[in-house]
Structure formats: C-alpha cells, structure tokens
C-alpha cells in the first residue's frame, strides 16, 4: 500500500482517525517486518504534515487550517537546537512559512523536544524582520532512541549516575538509575552490540567514569524533568583507536550492520547472468577505464573518449547496472533505501550495499565482464553536446586508474607514461575534451567553488599524523565534467519523455540571504552587481499597537523581495576573488548564501550548475536516488522506448536569464522540452512514491555529510591536544563580534582567537568593515591577515581549539614584518607538563583496522 492509499484508508475510518493495531488488523499485516514498515511509513507521512499523531498509536487526517485560527497555524519540521537552549524548526521540504526557511523557538517553548526530533510547531506572528516565531506543540517522532555520551558516576546523588551527551546541543544530562549502568551480557552479545575492552575489564560501574557509552532513552524529557536512560553499550575511552568513528555512527543513528537476510540475498544475486550479457550491447575490447581515488574499492563509473572524423568527439560514460541486482521489494532494496547513501570516514566506510555487490559484482573491476547502463554522447569540436544515446551494455574495464596516476601522465611523468603507453594518448584526449566542456559550463554561468577539503593522513599503525588539503587536479576534474554531462543527458531524456522521475534541484537563493551576503561582501570591496535592491515595507501588529499607545508614527520595516540574482553573478565574483587573501572567507560566505541542493520529483533546475535539468545517475552503488533513476531508465528501455535524443541549440543553457542591466526581476526560462509528454505508458514509479523517496534521501544525504564533517573536526581536535602551548603561523578567516577564526597555515586546522584575549588594547568588531579594531592603537585584524598564534586550550566537548595572538610578531594590517617564531619549550619525559590534564591517554590503541 502506498502513502496515498494509506491516507485514504485512514480518512475513511470513523472520525478520520485510526490506531496502529486497527491498521494492522484491517490491512491484514503478517510478521514483524510488515508491521515495522507500517510504522516507518506512518512516521514519514506524519513528518510531511499529511497525518497528525494524536497519541502514541493513533493517527488522524489534519483538519483544514483556517486563516483566522491560532491553534491551526501549525507546521511540521525538524528541530535543530543550539547549545544555549533555543532552537530552530526546519520545515519539511513541502511546507513554506514565508520568507524564512526556519522557525525560531525560544528556550522556554521547547517543551521537552530533543535535537533532531520531528515536531509540530505552532506559529506566532512574525517579527519585524520577517522571521517566524513558534512554540513546540507536539513531538511527532523521536529521532534519538539511543544517545552517545560520556559516563559519570555521581557519588552522593540519590537519583543515580548520569551521561553527558556527546552532542553539545543536548544540554540536559541523561539520568542513569542505579542498576542500569551496564546492560546484561546476553543483551550485549549480538552482532549489533560491540562492547569495548575497557568495559570488559571494569568490575564495578564506577570504573566507567569518563568512558564513552551508548544510552537507550527509557523516559523522554519534559519541561520539568531530564531524560532517563540505561547503558546498552560501552565503546571505550575517547582516545581508544576507532572509538571516534563508533561515536559518530551512533550519534547520527547510522545503520551499520546488515541484517542476515540482506546478506543472504546479496550472496544469492551476486553472479553474472551470461544470457543477460549476450542480450546487451557489447563494449568489451574498447580501452574503457575507471579513474578513482587511491583507496576506492567500489568502481561505479568508467569512461572513454574518441575523436570523430569531423573534428568532434564521442564521450562514453558507463555506469554499473546496480538495478539489475537490487530489485524493488527485495530486502536489499529496503536496506539501501533506509541507508540512502554510503558514508565515508577517513579510515573506513559504511556502504549502502553489502560488499558482495558494492566491491564485487557491481564494481567495474579491470578485465572482468560487468553489466552497465551507458550514456553515449556526441559533441562538436567546441565541446557542445549535440546528441546522446542511453542503452544497456556490458564492458570489461581495460585498467583501474587512479587520480594520482592520471595526473602524473598528464604532467609528463616519463616513468608513468612508459607504464601505460597505450592509454597515454587517451588521457590527453580526455583532458582536451574536459577543458572544452568546462569552458562551455563557465559560459553559461556554472559556479565552481574550489574550496579546499581536508584529508586526514595516517601512519603505518593507523594513527593520525596530520591534516592536508585535498589536491584537485585535471585528473579529478575531467571525471567531474564527464559525470555532469551524463547526468544532464539522462535528466533531459526523462524530462522530454514526460516520465515522473527524481531530479537533483538547487533552487534560487533566498532574497534575505542574498542581501546579507551583499552587505558582507561590500565590507571587502566586492559586490554581486545586483543594483538597486527591491524591498517591500511592512508594519507588524506590535509596531502599530505601540504607535497607538505612544501617539507616534508606527515603525516600518524593509524586507527584501525577489532579487534578480543569477549564477553568472556568483561566478564573476568567484573569479574576482581568486588568489586574493580574502578568497576563503568570501567564498564561504557566498556558499552560505545559497540554498542546499536536494532531491525532488519535480524539476526546478540547478542554480549552481546553471543547468535547466539535472539528476543523479552516475553513482548507484553509493546513492539510492541514482538507483531509482536507473530503475526508471531500464523500465523505459525495456518498454522499447528509444534512448536517443538530440540537443537543440540552447537546450542546456542556463534557465536563469538576465535580459538587460538594471532589470529588477529575474526570468526563469523554463524551456519546453523537445518531446514533452511523448511517453504515454504507465509511470515506472508513481510520482507520490518519488516524492517520498526524494524527502528521505535528502535527509539521509545531510545526515551522512554532517557525520563525515564532524568526525574530521573531532580528529583535528584530538590531533592537536598534545600541542598546547606551541606557536603557529595562521591566516585570519573570519572576524566576528566575539573573536576571529584562524586557520593554521601548515595543518589545515581552524580555531578561535576570542576578542577578550587581545590584551594590549580594547578591541571591538566593526560590522560595516568586517574587522576587529583596537580603540587606542588602531590595530586591525581583517580576513586574509597573516598572524602568529599560540594554542591555548582544547575544548574537546565542543570540538574547538582556542588560540591567542603571540605578542611577538603580530603583523599590523599592511604594515610591519613578523619576527621569527618563538618555539615553545617541550618538557622532557621526566618533567611534568604545565597542564597534566591535557596529556593524551594512549592506552588501548590498536593497529589500523
């Protein structure tokens, strides 16, 4: 039963409401799996606001919202808390509350909700700046069945011990009643529980002091009572090898163990069907190669470029045909949908699919026959796509190449060229075509934020030894260009057919955020070139009431309306700041002004790529939306729908047009597809189901990205904990009213210099110029300044580093020359450290897994 049918079934029930047991009985559901899926389905429909959860096991159809009612002014969304107690509710993708994408909730209106919960928020009248206020009316779905944190034994307390959550946004400790410190051994001894060595050796619960534990919440918090829980898993000491990854997995509720049924199903389907191989177009024998990172194990894309006689090019992109093995309704499919995406940590990965598929039968390993979905593109001599063909094929990759090897070949390394003499010319042709395609994208306004990404380096024992910037060469970029082209061609084909599908959309920036960025950019001497900003003037009810009482004129607020911003504006600014000291901070601010890309069943275009139509097709091993697009593609091809299409001139140009300078509005040019609605058959996947998948996968993608980013920040902080008191070269990234963020030059590590630690003067932050200035000396700190800092403190719980400016060698803005760095004296082994609490605990470390 799909979502629409389930909602209709509840609507037909008495009072338009139904209980869980009632639904199980009326729908004739059998075992635990079907009932679990029903609960998940109800929760997802509720999170979209299409059902209301009355009590724990009762759902109803929401009443129509009346314009005049206050209790009916409700909206569902995800709660994001701040460590200071307040929070923001991010409305679910299909709801809108006006100009702002979030609703501010004061600390006294949280009403027992926790970080990440799906909540129903009651909206209050908007503030003068347009931001909406609200209170949590009800928790719809709890997202933290377990919480990871640090165990503390509370001597003398009658209520028991407590756990401080690792997530600093959860400000309340979790009470652990006496006797619930360690779960029974029988409960722990399952494939889903891994008990740390420290816990095995601990005879009493007081020896768990300071260890990382996972806690099951047994009683949710209320406005007057903290949450209560019991320890179900002991991970070990924070410094134990691998504990940091386990913490992130549990904090973000990442599925980490494949059920036995899923593994058995993977083993059963992981074989090559020779009859299927014979049925497909044969690309074996061609010099098709995969190009991936050094440590990659799943190769889901392979490429080939050939020159045509007329001076044009043929680009072949072959993608692993995962949909041939993972069919709808299989346990494999349900597990892949639950995970949504693979998660990549510095030293391990949590795959979306079991190893039998991801690293074996679906991986395009060299010289092994593999099933693929292929996109064959014809391009002219200038790199414009003229036509494309999508088909089912079979390949045998000629070589497994890495970015490093290809880069060395392109840079002229004789030894590497001698190792691959037959492929050297192919890679040079790939680079030539990729550069042409990149130029075409730039011409239409595609934005390329070349922000550095951190790479964690490990020694031979698996211990972290440093952080460096990821190198992005033409070996990386040519694959990026080819994958972008394949994604656009497939999306264009599906849209032209009029078939419901998934799209990767990136909406136009919110006007309020554009205005905020423009104000900040002006302080650096830059602008997007927006011209006069259109605004509307509003008066709030409170302003009018205050005016009536005082007899004065009511205050008027200016709120930005729709702004004529285009991708080319961002692109031009990105080029102007390239190589400048302030490049990092202005690029970061630009990125913040944009919306997050997401999946949707309706095409809205991709702003950052300046693409009218875009989808994700090229990574089905790692991303569930790509697998869905493969299913739709295969269903159409097997229904004898032609996979060919011609690209008319301008078809792939930017949909965001700016007709002439000074234009006050933006034209979103939605070009009519060449063969709109030409497919008359039944949709392979109903649009309602696609909408649900789009919401789910957008959420799982953000969950994975947050876990990956947070682990890198955690590792950076732990890496620096033995370096308190040392001096470093740094670059000021972002001055703020409470201090300046500094990035260490050689370590790619960031930290804060609090403004109150600048002792030689009284410093204030000037918002209009975006700089910190000393009142007497006039000393200035701006983004891009080189400074010399000392690491003062490690704030491990907040995952932050705190620095202070070294008094020797402070470079004044535009003046002075830094003195040579003064190295801190390191203690001998027999000397005590100045801060013994910062000494790293090295016990329990093992080798790399």
């Amino acid at each position: 039963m799909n979502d629409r049918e389930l909602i209709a079934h509840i609507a037909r029930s008495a009072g338009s409401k139904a209980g869980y047991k009632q639904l199980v009985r009326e729908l004739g559901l059998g075992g635990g799996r079907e009932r679990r899926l029903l609960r998940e389905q109800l929760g997802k429909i509720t999170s979209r606001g299409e059902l209301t959860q009355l009590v724990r096991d009762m759902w109803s159809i929401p009443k129509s919202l009346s314009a005049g009612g206050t209790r009916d002014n409700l909206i569902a969304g995800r709660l994001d808390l701040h460590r200071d107690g307040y929070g923001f509710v991010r409305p679910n993708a299909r709801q809108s509350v006006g100009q702002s994408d979030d609703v501010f909730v004061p600390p006294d209106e949280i009403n027992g909700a926790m970080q990440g919960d799906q909540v129903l928020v009651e909206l209050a009248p908007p503030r003068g700046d347009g931001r909406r206020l609200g209170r949590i009316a009800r928790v719809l779905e709890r997202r933290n069945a377990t919480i990871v944190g640090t165990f503390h034994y509370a001597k003398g307390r009658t209520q028991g011990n407590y756990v401080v959550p690792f997530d600093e946004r959860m400000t309340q400790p979790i009470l652990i009643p006496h006797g619930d410190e360690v779960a029974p051994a029988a409960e722990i001894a399952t494939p889903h529980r891994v008990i740390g060595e420290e816990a095995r050796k601990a005879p009493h619960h007081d020896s768990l002091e300071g260890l990382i534990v996972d806690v099951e919440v047994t009683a949710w918090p209320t406005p007057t009572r903290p949450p209560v829980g019991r320890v179900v898993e002991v991970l070990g000491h924070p410094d134990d090898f691998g504990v940091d990854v386990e913490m992130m997995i549990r904090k973000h509720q990442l599925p980490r163990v494949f059920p036995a049924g899923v593994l058995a199903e993977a083993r059963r389907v992981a074989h090559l069907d020779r009859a299927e191989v014979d049925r497909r177009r044969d690309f074996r024998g061609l010099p098709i190669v995969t190009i991936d990172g050094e440590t990659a194990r799943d190769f889901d894309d392979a490429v080939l470029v050939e020159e045509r006689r007329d001076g044009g090019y043929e680009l072949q992109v072959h993608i692993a045909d995962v949909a041939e093995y993972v069919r709808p309704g299989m346990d494999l499919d349900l597990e892949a949908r639950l995970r949504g995406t693979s998660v990549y940590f510095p030293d391990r990965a949590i795959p979306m699919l079991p190893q039998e598929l991801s690293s074996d039968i679906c991986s395009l390993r060299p010289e092994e026959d593999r099933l693929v979905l292929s996109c064959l593109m014809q391009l002219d001599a200038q790199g414009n796509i003229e036509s494309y063909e999508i088909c089912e094929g079979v390949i045998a990759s000629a070589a497994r190449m890495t970015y490093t090897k290809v880069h060395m070949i392109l840079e002229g390394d004789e030894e590497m060229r001698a190792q691959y003499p037959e492929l050297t010319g192919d890679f040079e042709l790939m680079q030539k075509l990729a550069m042409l395609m990149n130029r075409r994208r730039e011409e239409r306004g595609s934005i390329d934020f070349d922000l550095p990404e951190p790479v964690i380096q490990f020694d031979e024992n698996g211990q972290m030894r440093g952080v460096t910037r990821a190198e992005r060469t033409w070996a990386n970029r040519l694959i990026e260009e080819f994958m972008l082209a394949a994604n656009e061609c497939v999306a264009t084909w599906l849209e032209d057919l009029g078939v419901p599908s998934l799209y990767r959309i990136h909406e136009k920036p919110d006007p309020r955020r554009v205005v905020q960025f423009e104000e900040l950019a002006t302080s650096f001497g830059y602008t997007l070139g927006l011209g006069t900003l259109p605004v509307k003037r509003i008066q709030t009810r409170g302003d009018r009431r205050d005016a009536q009482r005082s007899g004065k004129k009511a205050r008027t607020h200016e709120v930005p309306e729709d702004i004529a911003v285009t991708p080319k504006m961002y692109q031009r600014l990105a080029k102007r700041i390239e190589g400048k000291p302030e490049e990092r901070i202005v690029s970061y601010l630009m990125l913040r002004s944009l919306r997050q890309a997401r999946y949707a069943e309706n095409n809205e275009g991709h702003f950052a790529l300046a693409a009218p139509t875009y989808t994700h097709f090229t990574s089905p091993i790692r991303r569930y939306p790509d697998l869905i697009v493969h299913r739709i593609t295969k269903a159409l091809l097997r229904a004898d729908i032609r996979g060919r299409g011609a690209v008319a001139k301008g078809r792939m140009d930017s949909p965001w047009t700016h007709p002439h300078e000074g234009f006050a509005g933006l034209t979103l040019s939605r070009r009519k597809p060449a063969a709109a609605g030409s497919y008359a058959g039944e949709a392979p996947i109903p649009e309602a189901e696609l909408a649900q998948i789009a919401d789910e996968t957008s959420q799982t993608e953000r969950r994975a990205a947050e876990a990956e980013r947070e682990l890198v920040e955690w590792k950076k902080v732990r890496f620096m904990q033995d370096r308190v008191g040392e001096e470093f070269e740094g670059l000021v990234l972002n001055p703020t009213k409470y201090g300046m963020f500094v990035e260490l030059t050689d370590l790619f590590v960031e930290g804060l210099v609090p403004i109150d630690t600048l002792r030689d003067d009284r410093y204030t932050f000037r918002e209009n110029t975006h700089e910190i200035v000393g009142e007497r000396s006039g000393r200035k700190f701006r983004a891009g300044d080189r400074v010399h800092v000392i690491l003062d403190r490690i704030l491990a719980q907040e995952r932050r580093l705190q620095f202070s400016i070294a008094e020797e060698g402070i470079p004044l803005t535009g003046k002075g020359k830094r003195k040579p760095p003064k190295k801190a004296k390191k203690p001998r082994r027999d000397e005590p450290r100045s801060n013994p609490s910062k000494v790293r605990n090295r016990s329990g470390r093992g080798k790399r897994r």
Side-chain angles (χ1 to χ4, degrees):
M1 177 175 287
N2 62 32
D3 291 356
R4 188 175 299 173
E5 293 169 341
L6 180 58
I7 293 171
H9 184 90
I10 295 175
R12 291 192 297 269
S13 301
S16 295
K17 60 184 178 181
Y20 171 71
K21 292 182 179 179
Q22 173 190 343
L23 291 172
V24 169
R25 183 178 63 255
E26 292 176 350
L27 300 178
L29 300 184
R33 177 173 173 273
E34 291 182 346
R35 300 186 182 198
R36 175 175 61 84
L37 291 175
L38 173 63
R39 276 202 181 275
E40 292 177 0
Q41 188 177 11
L42 288 167
K44 287 161 186 169
I45 300 174
T46 303
S47 69
R48 299 200 304 268
E50 297 177 29
L51 284 178
T52 299
Q53 190 170 7
L54 302 176
V55 291
R56 175 175 172 80
D57 283 335
M58 181 68 69
W59 284 264
S60 73
I61 304 298
K63 295 181 180 178
S64 299
L65 302 182
S66 60
T70 56
R71 291 290 298 175
D72 292 331
N73 197 15
L74 302 173
I75 196 162
R78 179 182 185 269
L79 175 64
D80 281 330
L81 289 173
H82 189 273
R83 63 178 181 272
D84 291 337
Y86 60 84
F88 293 92
V89 173
R90 318 287 180 185
N92 295 326
R94 301 171 196 287
Q95 304 190 61
S96 175
V97 294
Q99 294 197 24
S100 176
D101 286 337
D102 48 39
V103 180
F104 177 77
V105 183
D108 56 350
E109 300 290 1
I110 299 295
N111 289 337
M114 300 180 73
Q115 168 61 29
D117 285 349
Q118 277 286 325
V119 298
L120 200 63
V121 61
E122 181 181 356
L123 299 177
R127 299 192 312 193
D129 60 1
R131 169 158 285 174
R132 303 303 301 262
L133 304 176
R135 59 175 291 273
I136 304 297
R138 184 184 305 128
V139 176
L140 299 175
E141 183 181 355
R142 294 287 187 178
R143 288 296 176 90
N144 300 285
T146 62
I147 297 172
V148 66
T150 307
F151 183 91
H152 293 290
Y153 182 65
K155 296 180 179 179
R157 292 178 55 168
T158 58
Q159 292 182 321
N161 309 319
Y162 63 99
V163 168
V164 177
F166 175 65
D167 191 339
E168 60 178 343
R169 294 169 295 184
M170 296 183 183
T171 56
Q172 290 181 303
I174 304 164
L175 297 181
I176 309 296
H178 292 299
D180 284 341
E181 293 84 358
V182 180
E187 190 171 337
I188 295 175
T190 74
H192 301 270
R193 299 291 181 201
V194 181
I195 189 166
E197 288 300 320
E198 292 290 336
R200 292 185 188 278
K201 299 174 184 177
H204 304 293
H205 57 254
D206 59 347
S207 64
L208 297 181
E209 176 68 32
L211 298 186
I212 304 298
V213 299
D214 199 21
V215 175
E216 179 187 6
V217 179
T218 57
W220 300 105
T222 68
T224 59
R225 188 194 66 195
V228 179
R230 66 188 184 103
V231 174
V232 293
E233 188 175 7
V234 181
L235 303 180
H237 193 277
D239 281 335
D240 290 349
F241 181 77
V243 168
D244 50 5
V245 176
E246 300 298 330
M247 290 164 60
M248 296 303 167
I249 289 172
R250 286 151 183 80
K251 177 188 172 183
H252 294 279
Q253 310 292 325
L254 299 174
R256 61 193 185 277
V257 178
F258 285 107
V262 172
L263 294 175
E265 201 168 58
R267 289 189 291 269
R268 187 168 64 250
V269 303
H271 62 87
L272 192 65
D273 185 343
R274 285 296 161 185
E276 182 64 24
V277 170
D278 296 339
R279 189 187 67 81
R280 296 182 173 227
R281 187 182 302 190
D282 195 344
F283 295 97
R284 292 172 293 182
L286 295 176
I288 299 169
V289 297
T290 62
I291 307 176
D292 294 275
E294 301 284 344
T295 59
R297 297 178 61 189
D298 50 349
F299 317 128
D300 49 12
D301 56 79
V303 295
L304 171 66
V305 175
E306 294 180 324
E307 254 183 317
R308 300 189 327 216
R309 291 182 179 179
D310 61 359
Y313 304 87
E314 180 178 80
L315 167 62
Q316 297 185 11
V317 174
H318 303 278
I319 307 299
D321 190 357
V322 179
E324 185 67 25
Y325 301 96
V326 183
R327 305 289 180 90
M330 294 174 63
D331 288 346
L332 272 169
D333 181 50
L334 294 173
E335 185 69 18
R337 182 168 173 175
L338 174 67
R339 295 177 178 232
T341 180
S342 297
V343 186
Y344 294 95
F345 295 122
D347 57 348
R348 76 182 78 174
I350 303 176
M352 184 181 78
L353 298 171
Q355 190 173 0
E356 289 82 355
L357 298 179
S358 61
S359 301
D360 189 0
I361 195 64
C362 292
S363 186
L364 307 182
R365 302 200 296 201
E367 300 179 353
E368 295 186 20
D369 291 354
R370 289 292 181 263
L371 304 181
V372 292
L373 277 181
S374 303
C375 182
L376 316 176
M377 291 160 274
Q378 305 299 320
L379 299 94
D380 64 20
Q382 288 73 45
N384 297 300
I385 300 176
E386 297 177 323
S387 63
Y388 56 83
E389 180 183 4
I390 301 160
C391 64
E392 294 179 293
V394 58
I395 71 167
S397 168
R400 180 269 201 264
M401 300 298 295
T402 67
Y403 296 127
T404 303
K405 289 181 179 179
V406 175
H407 175 64
M408 292 173 67
I409 290 173
L410 295 177
E411 289 295 302
D413 185 281
E414 293 299 331
E415 184 178 345
M416 192 59 66
R417 282 171 166 257
Q419 189 175 343
Y420 298 97
E422 69 285 355
L423 295 175
T424 296
D426 292 349
F427 294 132
E428 291 174 339
L429 188 60
M430 287 182 192
Q431 183 183 26
K432 180 181 177 182
L433 176 59
M435 294 175 75
L436 290 172
M437 297 172 73
N438 182 260
R439 194 177 305 158
R440 299 289 81 79
R441 279 202 305 114
E442 285 187 357
E443 288 172 357
R444 77 183 186 189
S446 182
I447 311 168
D448 187 6
F449 290 116
D450 198 6
L451 294 173
E453 295 185 3
V455 174
I456 304 294
Q457 294 180 321
F458 298 93
D459 61 22
E460 62 278 4
N461 295 319
Q463 305 300 326
M464 179 177 169
R465 62 179 174 88
V467 189
T468 60
R469 288 171 172 81
E471 188 178 10
R472 185 170 175 242
T473 67
W474 267 107
N476 304 78
R477 298 180 70 171
L478 63 86
I479 289 296
E480 291 173 11
E481 292 295 336
F482 298 164
M483 297 305 115
L484 288 172
N487 286 334
E488 283 195 65
C489 286
V490 172
T492 301
W493 178 63
L494 292 170
E495 186 183 44
D496 287 353
L497 289 173
V499 178
S501 182
L502 277 185
Y503 295 92
R504 180 68 169 179
I505 68 170
H506 188 223
E507 296 145 302
K508 182 187 164 190
D510 180 81
R512 185 169 58 88
R513 288 187 177 272
V514 175
V515 171
Q516 290 172 350
F517 169 72
E518 186 74 354
E519 292 173 350
L520 291 170
T522 303
S523 68
F524 291 99
Y526 298 104
T527 177
L528 285 170
L530 297 170
T532 304
L533 298 178
V535 297
K536 67 177 180 180
R537 293 173 173 80
I538 64 170
Q539 291 178 343
T540 66
R541 186 182 302 172
D543 290 330
R544 291 194 294 269
R545 184 174 59 248
D546 293 341
Q548 291 174 354
R549 292 173 180 171
S550 63
K552 298 179 181 179
K553 187 177 179 179
R555 185 171 57 166
T556 301
H557 304 274
E558 291 186 348
V559 181
E561 291 190 299
D562 190 40
I563 295 178
V565 63
T566 68
K568 263 194 177 298
M569 294 178 177
Y570 279 87
Q571 184 200 68
R572 290 169 185 158
L573 180 53
K575 286 190 174 295
R576 285 202 298 272
I577 64 175
E578 190 174 350
K580 301 291 178 61
E582 59 273 14
E583 179 183 8
R584 281 289 310 281
I585 179 59
V586 177
S587 296
Y588 172 71
L589 293 172
M590 271 200 287
L591 199 60
R592 283 189 61 186
S593 71
L594 298 173
R595 297 181 189 269
Q596 279 188 305
R598 62 184 178 90
Y599 297 104
E601 76 283 7
N602 295 315
N603 179 32
E604 299 292 338
H606 198 292
F607 183 86
L609 293 175
T613 313
Y614 192 68
T615 192
H616 272 173
F617 170 79
T618 54
S619 293
I621 292 177
R622 312 173 196 179
R623 296 186 302 227
Y624 193 74
D626 302 56
L627 175 57
I628 291 297
V629 174
H630 274 228
R631 275 191 192 146
I632 296 170
T633 300
K634 286 169 64 68
L636 295 174
L637 293 175
R638 295 189 177 188
D640 294 328
I641 302 298
R642 282 185 41 159
R644 297 183 180 181
V647 180
K649 186 176 181 180
R651 174 73 172 91
M652 291 185 173
D653 287 348
S654 171
W656 289 272
T657 60
H658 203 189
H660 54 79
E661 292 298 321
F663 180 65
L666 179 71
T667 301
L668 178 60
S669 176
R670 299 303 307 152
R671 296 173 179 80
K672 185 177 180 180
S678 59
Y679 176 70
E682 184 179 351
I685 302 178
E687 189 170 326
E689 185 177 352
L690 289 171
Q692 185 174 342
I693 293 172
D695 287 345
E696 292 172 11
T697 51
S698 294
Q699 293 173 16
T700 54
E701 176 191 45
R702 289 169 189 169
R703 177 182 68 181
E706 187 177 348
E708 292 167 357
R709 177 196 57 78
E710 192 171 348
L711 179 64
V712 170
E713 293 305 312
W714 171 265
K715 282 185 175 292
K716 287 180 184 180
V717 170
R718 308 304 288 189
F719 173 67
M720 296 295 291
Q721 65 185 354
D722 279 344
R723 308 190 71 169
V724 173
E726 290 188 30
E727 301 179 12
F728 304 91
E729 292 272 5
L731 175 72
V732 177
L733 292 181
N734 184 22
T736 67
K737 63 183 178 180
Y738 45 84
M740 53 184 147
F741 288 95
V742 174
E743 179 185 89
L744 304 187
T745 305
D746 299 324
L747 292 174
F748 199 49
V749 171
E750 295 178 20
L752 177 70
V753 177
I755 198 168
D756 56 9
T757 63
L758 302 173
R759 301 294 186 185
D760 63 321
D761 200 346
R762 179 174 179 179
Y763 287 85
T764 56
F765 175 65
R766 294 184 181 175
E767 192 168 357
N768 58 333
T769 59
H770 210 67
E771 60 189 10
I772 292 174
V773 182
E775 292 183 358
R776 296 188 305 274
S777 64
R779 177 180 291 162
K780 298 178 181 179
F781 295 98
R782 297 195 64 196
D785 284 352
R786 295 286 174 180
V787 293
H788 201 56
V789 296
I790 299 174
L791 178 57
D792 278 346
R793 297 176 60 196
I794 302 287
L795 306 174
Q797 183 66 23
E798 294 85 2
R799 293 172 293 288
R800 293 194 187 94
L801 306 176
Q802 183 172 308
F803 295 101
S804 62
I805 296 292
E807 290 305 315
E808 291 186 3
I810 299 180
L812 305 184
T813 303
K815 300 178 183 179
K817 189 174 182 180
R818 187 185 59 79
K819 297 180 181 180
K822 182 180 178 181
K823 294 291 184 181
K825 178 184 176 183
K826 289 192 175 181
R828 300 194 310 268
R829 288 184 178 273
D830 56 345
E831 288 181 342
R833 294 173 180 254
S834 58
N835 189 352
S837 66
K838 301 300 181 186
V839 177
R840 174 182 277 176
N841 185 328
R842 302 180 186 275
S843 64
R845 288 184 180 268
K847 295 185 178 181
R848 178 191 274 185
R849 296 181 183 177

